[in-house]
Amino acid sequence: MLTALSIRDVVLIEALDLEFGTGLGVLTGETGAGKSILLDALGLALGARGESGLVRQGAAQAAVTASFETPPPGGAIANVMAQNGLDLEPGEPLLVRRIVKSDGGSRAFVNDQPASAGLLRELAPHLVEIHGQHDDRGLLNPRGHRALLDSFGRLEIGPVAVAHRAWREAEDALAVARAEQDLAERDREWLDHAVTELRALAPEAGEEERLAERRATMQRGEKVADELQTIAQLLEGSEGGLSQLRQAARVLERIADSHDALAEALAAIDRAITEGAEAQDRIDFAAEALAFDPAALEADETRLFELRGIARKHRVQPDDLPALLEELSARLERVESGGAGIARLELAVEETHRTYREAARTLSAARAGAAARLDAAVEAELKPLKLDAARFRTVVEQLDEGQGSAAGMDRVEFEVSTNPGAPFAPLIKIASGGELSRFILALKVALAEEGGAATLIFDEIDRGVGGAVASAIGERLARLSSSAQVLVVTHSPQVAARGTQHLLIAKSHDGFVTRTGVTPLDAAQRREEIARMLSGAEITPEARAQAERLLVA
């Protein structure tokens, strides 16, 4: 609900601060007093195009701030704010502000946070509905008619949305599977060859490292084999070191008792023989450990080269070959069994599509019933509004299946015929200004509980009518204001008398500058203003008496 409006330097308005309450607020004033400026200013705050012509002559900029009641958490306004990265403090009012400079530049703010005019326009439908002589939005926009009908009929579109999503997801899964199958079929020959080759190789995890280590060991053994043989000859040969030591020991044994030193020499040689023999044992052990089969070395090298060659071919590491074999085998299996998988997905698409069609047709039937009830409700409002020759209908047209959406398979549009025998056509194309406003009022009354914007503004909805019709308009506006805040710019005393808040718009001139001001009226002032509306420039006692009767009616 709109709670306050602050205007600075907009056209003829120098400074204006207004507060609004619940119920029906009426704005009156003589023609040319500036009522349209007030609506232009509010429109500016709601994202309308900012033009330098709106800036009061001599001022550097114009500014408008509109204050609204705290939006409910999780509602449409809160969602729009969140999607645009703006904070909404719990319990705080919503403030939208627009500044237009004299050079045409503009800035926008939501709760003092910089925003775009586009964001204001996105918020506007959830805050205020403005209906005027030339309005081409809101109820006149066919894009919103289906949602209005669903709200009026309290129709649940959830099952249709769920079925539509399931159908689309099934179609997407089928499309992906078919694309994969097509790609796999093109690669089938290559896959078959690659899998056959890898299976024949049978790579194992860590096999490259094991082969490389064994190969290196055998290559080292090959290099030291000749050296070990040379050492063996030096130690064990007929002319080897151990043989010479043993011969020397045998000679010393014969003469060792000749001198103590010879005995010590014999003991040293015996020790050397023992150490040499031990060295020979260790060399024999090493030779046995390093011994290899040349055929085994050749086999390991061949295997290692094959692993590395295929790994390079597939651009992977040798240790990744087992995983690659598993992956390619799975792909080949999918190719070979792909037909069955696609058949299952095709069946899923068929089933989910059937479920969607059934849900959409059920919703279509419910919409047809709701349309008949809405038509009757609007028709009941037309005669009192002096539209008794007009007819109203809600067209529910079933679309082709390819045009279906999460909201069903229906196109909904409101149409009217203003004269007997005249064909039906969209409301905006055939209704005159006065008729258009009254049709909007009839629709709003019929749709009073559909939960649109919390504030409704009607601009001169009573133009060209008077008497009983004006009284009927006032009665319906008052009825509408029981479920939403309603503001109406009016020239009709019958409508003005229904208001719970009355604002008088008037021009003043100090000899130099013309200004527009707005004054809240008390009970006595209201009676005088309504009397003026009844009698014109000169207020007569009769007019005052008639105004009194209207106010107590």
Side-chain angles (χ1 to χ4, degrees):
M1 184 185 84
L2 177 66
T3 57
L5 185 64
S6 175
I7 303 173
R8 296 291 184 272
D9 296 318
V10 175
V11 192
L12 297 179
I13 299 176
E14 183 175 10
L16 185 62
D17 294 293
L18 295 174
E19 293 185 356
F20 300 94
T22 58
L24 175 60
V26 297
L27 293 85
T28 64
E30 295 183 357
T31 300
K35 297 185 290 295
S36 62
I37 300 175
L38 210 61
L39 296 183
D40 289 343
L42 179 59
L44 187 64
L46 296 173
R49 183 177 178 181
E51 298 178 346
S52 59
L54 291 172
V55 181
R56 188 173 64 87
Q57 187 174 2
Q61 64 181 31
V64 182
T65 302
S67 176
F68 297 87
E69 281 187 328
T70 305
I77 294 172
N79 290 338
V80 171
M81 295 274 287
Q83 289 167 8
N84 286 273
L86 297 180
D87 298 327
L88 185 61
E89 295 295 330
E92 293 296 319
L94 178 68
L95 299 177
V96 293
R97 182 159 58 104
R98 187 83 176 279
I99 296 173
V100 178
K101 298 181 180 180
S102 57
D103 62 5
S106 72
R107 290 180 295 161
F109 301 87
V110 177
N111 282 3
D112 292 325
Q113 301 168 85
S116 64
L119 173 58
L120 299 186
R121 288 191 292 272
E122 194 174 352
L123 287 170
H126 307 295
L127 297 170
V128 177
E129 288 182 21
I130 301 178
H131 301 289
Q133 298 274 332
H134 307 291
D135 183 29
D136 60 354
R137 299 165 297 171
L139 295 178
L140 304 185
N141 187 344
R143 294 180 183 177
H145 291 177
R146 184 171 60 195
L148 289 170
L149 178 62
D150 291 346
S151 296
F152 172 81
R154 290 178 169 80
L155 305 182
E156 180 57 60
I157 68 170
V160 175
V162 170
H164 183 265
R165 183 169 59 253
W167 173 36
R168 290 305 184 196
E169 287 175 352
E171 284 195 322
D172 290 344
L174 177 59
V176 169
R178 282 175 171 165
E180 289 181 348
Q181 181 73 5
D182 290 343
L183 179 62
E185 285 289 352
R186 291 196 295 271
D187 294 339
R188 181 172 188 153
E189 183 177 349
W190 177 85
L191 276 172
D192 188 60
H193 171 75
V195 168
T196 300
E197 186 178 45
L198 284 169
R199 283 176 178 168
L201 185 64
E204 298 176 0
E207 185 178 8
E208 183 202 23
E209 184 178 358
R210 293 194 301 272
L211 287 170
E213 288 179 354
R214 199 160 67 212
R215 173 176 173 248
T217 299
M218 286 190 287
Q219 286 176 334
R220 286 195 300 272
E222 187 177 27
K223 290 179 181 179
V224 303
D226 292 340
E227 303 295 336
L228 291 177
Q229 187 176 4
T230 299
I231 293 171
Q233 291 175 352
L234 290 173
L235 290 175
E236 290 287 351
S238 59
E239 299 296 328
L242 283 176
S243 176
Q244 296 292 329
L245 285 172
R246 290 188 183 101
Q247 291 178 22
R250 284 194 295 271
V251 173
L252 278 173
E253 283 178 353
R254 292 194 297 268
I255 62 174
D257 56 357
S258 300
H259 195 280
D260 290 340
L262 295 177
E264 292 173 358
L266 177 59
I269 289 176
D270 284 341
R271 289 195 300 272
I273 292 171
T274 300
E275 291 293 332
E278 185 176 349
Q280 180 65 53
D281 289 341
R282 301 312 300 169
I283 291 170
D284 290 342
F285 178 80
E288 184 178 351
L290 292 172
F292 68 95
D293 181 359
L297 174 59
E298 183 180 357
D300 282 356
E301 287 184 332
T302 300
R303 176 71 175 178
L304 188 59
F305 294 154
E306 287 179 345
L307 285 172
R308 290 175 173 172
I310 290 184
R312 284 194 302 272
K313 179 179 178 180
H314 291 284
R315 298 179 181 179
V316 298
Q317 295 299 317
D319 279 350
D320 295 331
L321 289 174
L324 178 64
L325 173 57
E326 185 176 347
E327 177 190 342
L328 297 182
S329 297
R331 284 176 58 184
L332 183 60
E333 184 178 353
R334 285 197 298 271
V335 173
E336 293 172 345
S337 62
I342 288 177
R344 287 193 300 271
L345 291 172
E346 288 174 339
L347 181 60
V349 169
E350 183 179 341
E351 291 176 348
T352 53
H353 190 193
R354 181 170 59 251
T355 300
Y356 169 71
R357 286 198 308 268
E358 291 172 355
R361 287 168 181 164
T362 299
L363 179 59
S364 294
R367 280 176 174 150
R373 296 194 300 275
L374 177 60
D375 293 350
V378 174
E379 292 275 2
E381 299 294 331
L382 296 181
K383 186 173 182 180
L385 296 174
K386 204 176 179 180
L387 294 170
D388 44 317
R391 290 175 298 156
F392 173 87
R393 74 178 182 186
T394 304
V395 177
V396 181
E397 177 187 358
Q398 199 163 76
L399 303 172
D400 295 336
E401 289 188 5
Q403 297 175 286
S405 69
M409 297 191 299
D410 301 309
R411 183 188 68 85
V412 177
E413 186 170 3
F414 301 147
E415 293 184 344
V416 297
S417 168
T418 54
N419 296 299
F424 280 92
L427 179 61
I428 194 172
K429 290 187 177 180
I430 63 171
S432 66
E435 289 174 331
L436 178 60
S437 298
R438 281 177 280 155
F439 266 114
I440 290 172
L441 178 59
L443 267 170
K444 288 305 299 184
V445 171
L447 297 167
E449 296 182 1
E450 58 86 19
T455 298
L456 307 176
I457 298 178
F458 291 90
D459 183 16
E460 298 188 359
I461 193 173
D462 49 12
R463 173 174 290 187
V465 300
V469 176
S471 180
I473 290 174
E475 187 274 329
R476 279 152 181 79
L477 288 170
R479 192 196 318 167
L480 196 57
S481 70
S482 64
S483 58
Q485 179 190 46
V486 178
L487 301 176
V488 56
V489 176
T490 180
H491 289 286
S492 167
Q494 291 90 342
V495 173
R498 292 281 185 171
T500 55
Q501 180 184 29
H502 194 146
L503 301 176
L504 176 62
I505 303 173
K507 281 183 181 178
S508 63
H509 188 74
D510 61 6
F512 299 98
V513 178
T514 300
R515 296 181 176 86
T516 290
V518 180
T519 304
L521 303 183
D522 59 23
Q525 292 169 326
R526 282 192 71 196
R527 185 186 60 188
E528 285 298 295
E529 171 62 9
I530 292 173
R532 181 199 64 77
M533 297 171 73
L534 285 164
S535 63
E538 183 180 349
I539 302 177
T540 64
E542 292 80 4
R544 289 190 177 93
Q546 178 63 17
E548 190 70 37
R549 285 192 292 271
L550 288 175
L551 286 169
V552 299

